[in-house]
Amino acid sequence: MLECRNLSVSYGHHRALDNIAVHIAPGEIVVILGANGAGKSTLLQAIAGLVPASDGGQILLDGKSIKNLPPHLIVEAGLALVPEGRRIFGDLTVLENLVLGAYAERARPTEKDNLGRALTLFPRLAERRRQIARTMSGGEQQMVAIGRAMMSAPSILMLDEPSLGLSPILCTELFKALAEIRKTGAGILLVEQNARQGLAIADRGYLLENGRIVGEGSAVSLAGDPAVQKAYLGGVAGGTGRAWPLTPTKPSIAT
Amino acid sequence: MDILITGVLLGATYSLIAMGLTLQYGVARIMNLANGEMLVAGAFGAFWVFTTQKLSPFTSVAFVAPGAFVLNWLIYRFLLRPLVRRAKNRGMLEVDSILATFGMAFAFVGIMLLVFGGEYFTYSYLDEPVAIFGSPFGLNRVVACLVSVALCGLLYLGLNATRTGMALRAVAVDPAAAGLVAIDVPRMSTFAFALGGAVTAVGGIVLSTFLTMDASIGIVFTMKALIIVIMGGVGDVRGAIIASLILGLAETAVASLIDPGLTLAAAYLLFLLVLLFRPEGLFGRRQS
């Protein structure tokens, strides 16, 4: 269970996040929708300890405060981030990337099981375990990044725009994998540009605008909300919540 | 043929000092210009053991390696960590660390002049010929080469086959991402800097078995290590080894074919060529 209360982040005088309250339960997929610059990435980075959170707010993981701990202790507490741009270790092999994912003390006892699970989830990685990670395609690198995060046996997994730059087919595969990961009991916090696919897989969603939460609700109700459709789903008239065409509105770059 | 063998013998020894700087610069991101002074201090240790205790200079590893490790740990922890903390980006840390360690190098030279005096120090260890392919070579150089190769092999194995080694390489590739897999990056950087210092000091022991040194010669070795690290590609162990061999061969070739006085000039010429044509290193990729 991850819970943020009154979470604020400032870059100098600019308030990037203002009194954010979000929570994610185990086994739940929560999506955060928002335009570029709304503060989505900042939110994930603040939770992961990469940017400092302002005084006053709280970030609790299973009841314990993880606010402003160094990143490695936050992973140790059970929270993993798949960062924007993947940030895999390009010069290392796929297998080394995955094994490093289990560097946390908490992940050592179950390392073998988690490796098996990651390689079952992404069979491509099993085939290419000796390959230098940077020489792989964008989609495969994303698999490495997600597999690496899974290796730390997180209770909450956060993903920052995992579908960015992936072809529609790879996107679909990626979201299938997230549904599989949810079955392990981990909660998933997802930041997505691809609002349609994000809402399709999520249980709940938050709308983030100029650093504030301006709406929240179940994924179905958000998808059916005309204002959400207008802002994030390309204004497709829907109504039932499932009537939109399956092609993404934003052009994807196949890799 | 003689040039080839002498060059390889020398180059293998250089690879050990380059390994020290590779750890410090590649992992801890500190371009340590006081690297050569650590090497000279290690050489002094060997000199002292040999002349006063009548022991093999290599026995000084027992106190030089741990001593250098602790000293470098303290240097990083108290002198360099504040620079790391305040650096907003890698370029800023590079400039700050170059200035700070350059100053540190002068301080070290002063301390060593005070403690050891200003004379050249040299000793004669295993100074007997050994024949390789019919030509005589100094046994001390052959032993130095073998010791270096063994230590480099050990380091290479450690970096590639252990969890800690893998973590060190991860920090070298991407410190921020290393934090996201629960690696304690500040601690790993400190460890890499300390280990690099210890390796450099041991390199000094090895070099002292066949080179004459004095308290202020450290800068020459800093430059050589720098040339090798830049040529090999930052943080690239294999590249550093190949670059060491190239430097060893180039120096030997110039010294025996043209003039021994031009050895350093040859090294710098090589450095210039690398900076002009392959600034990212022999096997390096350009930053994307």
Side-chain angles (χ1 to χ4, degrees):
Chain A
M1 178 79 174
L2 174 72
E3 216 179 341
C4 302
R5 295 180 198 146
N6 301 325
L7 175 63
S8 301
V9 171
S10 297
Y11 296 123
H13 288 297
H14 171 64
R15 208 156 168 84
L17 289 180
D18 192 14
N19 278 319
I20 300 286
V22 294
H23 61 94
I24 298 99
E28 192 179 33
I29 299 185
V30 174
V31 65
I32 294 181
L33 303 178
N36 279 335
K40 299 177 307 243
S41 292
T42 304
L43 175 59
L44 297 196
Q45 285 168 0
I47 296 173
L50 296 177
V51 299
S54 311
D55 294 342
Q58 281 182 307
I59 307 172
L60 301 171
L61 183 61
D62 299 323
K64 274 178 273 177
S65 174
I66 55 166
K67 189 183 150 192
N68 291 344
L69 286 179
H72 69 271
L73 291 182
I74 292 179
V75 181
E76 205 66 81
L79 189 134
L81 169 67
V82 178
E84 203 176 359
R86 301 165 195 133
R87 303 295 285 269
I88 58 171
F89 302 117
D91 292 344
L92 276 56
T93 66
V94 170
L95 189 64
E96 285 174 331
N97 268 277
L98 293 176
V99 170
L100 274 170
Y103 190 82
E105 293 290 341
R106 67 177 275 125
R108 305 260 174 107
T110 53
E111 182 180 333
K112 276 216 172 73
D113 297 347
N114 287 331
L115 183 62
R117 192 177 298 147
L119 295 179
T120 319
L121 193 59
F122 303 114
R124 296 287 286 171
L125 301 187
E127 290 164 29
R128 298 180 172 234
R129 60 174 79 196
R130 304 260 165 243
Q131 192 169 334
I132 299 293
R134 111 180 89 76
T135 62
M136 304 208 305
S137 75
E140 289 162 345
Q141 291 191 20
Q142 189 60 266
M143 292 175 196
V144 174
I146 296 175
R148 185 180 73 179
M150 288 305 298
M151 290 294 292
S152 70
S155 56
I156 298 286
L157 176 67
M158 305 194 295
L159 300 102
D160 197 346
E161 309 236 6
S163 73
L164 197 68
L166 301 188
S167 69
I169 296 172
L170 277 172
C171 272
T172 310
E173 237 175 80
L174 175 90
F175 283 106
K176 259 190 218 153
L178 293 187
E180 285 299 313
I181 291 169
R182 171 230 295 265
K183 286 185 194 157
T184 66
I188 297 177
L189 179 58
L190 182 68
V191 159
E192 241 326 306
Q193 287 246 323
N194 190 336
R196 183 161 290 121
Q197 276 190 311
L199 281 174
I201 182 186
D203 302 303
R204 291 188 301 116
Y206 293 92
L207 306 180
L208 194 61
E209 221 168 79
N210 294 322
R212 289 205 178 86
I213 300 279
V214 293
E216 61 176 291
S218 73
V220 176
S221 69
L222 284 178
D225 184 329
V228 174
Q229 289 183 353
K230 189 158 174 285
Y232 305 111
L233 300 172
V236 180
T240 63
R242 279 195 177 274
W244 54 76
L246 280 166
T247 46
T249 45
K250 283 180 195 268
S252 305
I253 308 143
T255 50
Chain B
M1 193 66 193
D2 285 4
I3 295 173
L4 207 63
I5 294 173
T6 314
V8 167
L9 290 178
L10 187 63
T13 323
Y14 282 164
S15 64
L16 193 56
I17 29 175
M19 207 70 104
L21 192 62
T22 295
L23 281 167
Q24 294 190 323
Y25 185 45
V27 181
R29 316 265 153 152
I30 299 291
M31 177 41 87
N32 182 12
L33 292 188
N35 185 58
E37 275 63 42
M38 203 52 63
L39 183 147
V40 173
F44 269 120
F47 178 70
W48 179 79
V49 161
F50 186 78
T51 50
T52 65
Q53 311 295 310
K54 309 281 176 236
L55 288 169
S56 156
F58 289 109
T59 54
S60 62
V61 171
F63 68 90
V64 164
F69 187 89
V70 170
L71 182 62
N72 279 276
W73 183 287
L74 294 173
I75 289 173
Y76 187 85
R77 187 70 193 69
F78 294 102
L79 283 168
L80 301 171
R81 177 100 41 102
L83 302 185
V84 176
R85 283 235 178 90
R86 107 182 153 197
K88 289 195 178 67
N89 53 54
R90 194 169 174 184
M92 192 173 155
L93 177 59
E94 217 148 282
V95 172
D96 282 0
S97 66
I98 285 173
L99 291 174
T101 56
F102 193 45
M104 210 160 71
F106 285 109
F108 280 150
V109 169
I111 293 170
M112 287 194 292
L113 276 173
L114 189 73
V115 178
F116 307 120
E119 294 95 57
Y120 283 99
F121 63 103
T122 183
Y123 57 92
S124 173
Y125 172 69
L126 295 181
D127 199 5
E128 47 203 85
V130 52
I132 303 175
F133 296 115
S135 312
F137 293 93
L139 179 60
N140 47 12
R141 283 185 183 242
V142 176
V143 170
C145 168
L146 293 179
V147 170
S148 303
V149 168
L151 283 176
C152 284
L154 211 63
L155 276 173
Y156 187 77
L157 211 66
L159 281 172
N160 283 284
T162 69
R163 194 185 284 271
T164 307
M166 226 191 284
L168 284 173
R169 285 189 296 141
V171 175
V173 176
D174 187 340
L180 290 177
V181 295
I183 294 170
D184 186 344
V185 177
R187 198 164 152 257
M188 250 333 141
S189 300
T190 315
F191 174 69
F193 191 84
L195 183 64
V199 169
T200 305
V202 172
I205 297 175
V206 173
L207 280 173
S208 77
T209 59
F210 63 91
L211 287 183
T212 302
M213 298 206 198
D214 66 53
S216 55
I217 203 169
I219 189 75
V220 170
F221 294 104
T222 303
M223 285 304 152
K224 284 183 186 181
L226 197 61
I227 293 166
I228 294 166
V229 168
I230 304 284
M231 185 165 27
V234 174
D236 184 344
V237 171
R238 268 176 312 173
I241 291 171
I242 306 230
S244 310
L245 293 178
I246 293 176
L247 182 67
L249 283 169
E251 284 191 353
T252 314
V254 169
S256 47
L257 297 178
I258 306 173
D259 187 275
L262 286 176
T263 331
L264 262 186
Y268 289 123
L269 182 67
L270 207 57
F271 193 26
L272 277 179
L273 291 177
V274 167
L275 284 180
L276 279 174
F277 297 110
R278 292 216 44 104
E280 70 278 13
L282 288 175
F283 310 101
R285 293 157 281 106
R286 286 175 202 279
Q287 295 293 325
S288 51

